[in-house]
């Protein structure tokens, strides 16, 4: 590792949260690495109301609350909000982060409510339908609010049969391929582009670091994923970052 790269890693804010780079808190590639890069490339104003959609064990919500000094709704379908609440209390953020069980297809919030909606390594599970963003996400953003999304993607479109290595990773379930798209395909899936603009779209630089943290976490699925990467799985995958602004009504 070069001195410059090592210095850049040390300067990352997520390094202050290294105790959470573990199997107890990670549910895949390091969400704090992904979030840190997104908020470095598109910094949030301090304060405001943020929805963390697909918050997992709540470490991304903690990062947002501490680094952006925002009030955060930690919305997650599969992790108990009671368990997350215990951690939020322990971490000293219970006054800023509200744990909730939320289905991304049926959200219980008022429209025009959030300054920012963040979704890290989760959007691909529920946002695959064309116009989903416009119909199910955008209404909850305030005018001029932004959605900040990071999710796994493909480096290039798969033409023809699914490569055997990918199919093996999917455990033979070809439908899993529907979760993975190139950045260009994701922009198409967003839909009609009515009422919003894509401010930024890019491939994240921290791809290797986020995956390596997962491999080293000790999680059994991280160990399994490492075996696939050793066989070339990383040649197919990337992470895409999107920043999408809801336009003011007089703009469209």
């Amino acid at each position: 590792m070069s001195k410059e790269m090592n210095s850049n890693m040390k300067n990352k804010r997520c390094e202050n949260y290294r105790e959470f780079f573990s199997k107890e808190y990670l549910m895949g590639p390091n969400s704090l690495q992904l979030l840190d890069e997104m908020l470095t490339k598109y910094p949030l104003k301090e304060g405001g109301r943020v929805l963390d959609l697909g918050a997992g064990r709540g470490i991304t919500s903690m990062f947002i609350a501490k680094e952006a000094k925002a009030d955060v709704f930690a919305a997650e379908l599969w992790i108990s909000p009671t368990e997350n609440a215990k951690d939020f209390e322990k971490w000293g953020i219970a006054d800023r982060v509200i744990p909730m069980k939320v289905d991304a297809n049926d959200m219980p919030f008022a429209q025009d409510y959030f300054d920012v909606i963040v979704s890290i390594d989760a959007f691909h599970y529920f946002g695959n339908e064309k116009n989903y963003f416009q119909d199910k996400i955008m209404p909850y953003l305030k005018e001029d609010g932004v959605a900040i999304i990071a999710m796994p993607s493909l480096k290039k479109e798969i033409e023809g049969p699914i490569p055997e290595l990918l199919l093996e990773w999917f455990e033979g379930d070809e439908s899993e391929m529907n979760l993975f798209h190139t950045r260009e395909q994701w922009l198409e899936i967003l839909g009609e582009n009515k009422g919003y603009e894509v401010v930024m779209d890019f491939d994240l630089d921290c791809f290797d670091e986020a995956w390596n943290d997962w491999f080293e976490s000790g999680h059994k699925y991280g160990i399994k994923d490492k075996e696939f990467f050793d066989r070339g799985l990383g040649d197919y995958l990337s992470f895409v970052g999107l920043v999408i602004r809801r336009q003011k009504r007089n703009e469209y």
Side-chain angles (χ1 to χ4, degrees):
M1 182 181 297
S2 69
K3 290 183 179 180
E4 181 179 357
M5 183 179 297
N6 190 47
S7 175
N8 289 338
M9 288 178 63
K10 288 182 178 179
N11 289 334
K12 285 187 173 184
R13 290 171 295 181
C14 66
E15 288 296 311
N16 297 325
Y17 302 86
R18 181 161 284 277
E19 65 187 283
F20 300 102
F21 295 9
S22 67
K23 63 182 180 182
E24 288 76 24
Y25 295 105
L26 296 184
M27 298 176 67
N30 189 345
S31 55
L32 291 178
Q33 292 275 10
L34 302 171
L35 177 59
D36 194 3
E37 180 171 340
M38 294 299 299
L39 298 189
T40 297
K41 291 182 174 175
Y42 194 90
L44 296 185
K45 297 177 182 177
E46 289 192 356
R49 185 183 295 134
V50 178
L51 172 62
D52 185 6
L53 187 57
R57 291 298 312 277
I59 57 175
T60 48
S61 298
M62 172 185 60
F63 188 94
I64 296 166
K66 289 190 172 185
E67 299 298 328
K69 296 179 174 57
D71 294 321
V72 186
F73 289 70
E76 171 59 38
L77 184 60
W78 302 115
I79 303 297
S80 162
T82 301
E83 290 303 308
N84 276 348
K86 292 176 183 177
D87 281 335
F88 297 160
E89 187 72 38
K90 181 173 63 178
W91 301 338
I93 57 171
D95 60 333
R96 305 213 72 157
V97 184
I98 300 172
M100 300 183 66
K101 184 174 183 177
V102 173
D103 184 335
N105 284 289
D106 186 23
M107 295 201 287
F109 305 110
Q111 294 192 359
D112 305 308
Y113 193 65
F114 293 103
D115 299 287
V116 181
I117 296 177
V118 171
S119 185
I120 303 298
D121 199 14
F123 188 84
H124 57 298
Y125 289 116
F126 46 76
N128 265 287
E129 296 293 326
K130 194 160 188 177
N131 295 324
Y132 170 87
F133 178 85
Q134 184 170 306
D135 295 339
K136 298 294 183 73
I137 298 294
M138 194 177 77
Y140 299 102
L141 276 173
K142 295 178 181 179
E143 291 185 32
D144 215 29
V146 295
I148 295 175
I149 300 168
M151 58 193 165
S153 64
L154 296 172
K155 288 180 179 175
K156 61 181 180 180
E157 188 173 352
I158 302 297
E159 298 179 356
I162 301 173
E164 289 186 13
L165 184 61
L166 278 173
L167 193 57
E168 187 180 345
W169 190 48
F170 298 147
E171 298 182 340
D173 184 356
E174 293 189 14
S175 67
E176 287 285 309
M177 195 67 205
N178 295 329
L179 302 179
F180 292 83
H181 308 284
T182 63
R183 179 153 44 99
E184 292 74 21
Q185 288 172 321
W186 273 116
L187 292 173
E188 291 179 8
I189 290 170
L190 285 179
E192 297 176 1
N193 198 20
K194 182 179 179 181
Y196 69 87
E197 65 169 334
V198 178
V199 178
M200 299 178 73
D201 67 279
F202 54 90
D203 293 325
L204 275 76
D205 299 322
C206 68
F207 177 87
D208 290 334
E209 292 168 67
W211 276 105
N212 285 333
D213 287 340
W214 173 233
F215 301 153
E216 295 171 4
S217 70
H219 197 290
K220 63 180 181 179
Y221 289 117
I223 295 170
K224 185 177 180 180
D225 284 342
K226 173 66 162 58
E227 295 172 356
F228 280 97
F229 268 69
D230 287 343
R231 295 167 56 193
L233 181 65
D235 294 339
Y236 295 100
L237 303 180
S238 180
F239 261 98
V240 63
L242 301 175
V243 178
I244 309 168
R245 182 182 73 89
R246 180 177 179 178
Q247 295 172 312
K248 296 179 181 179
R249 288 183 173 85
N250 61 8
E251 292 183 67
Y252 62 94

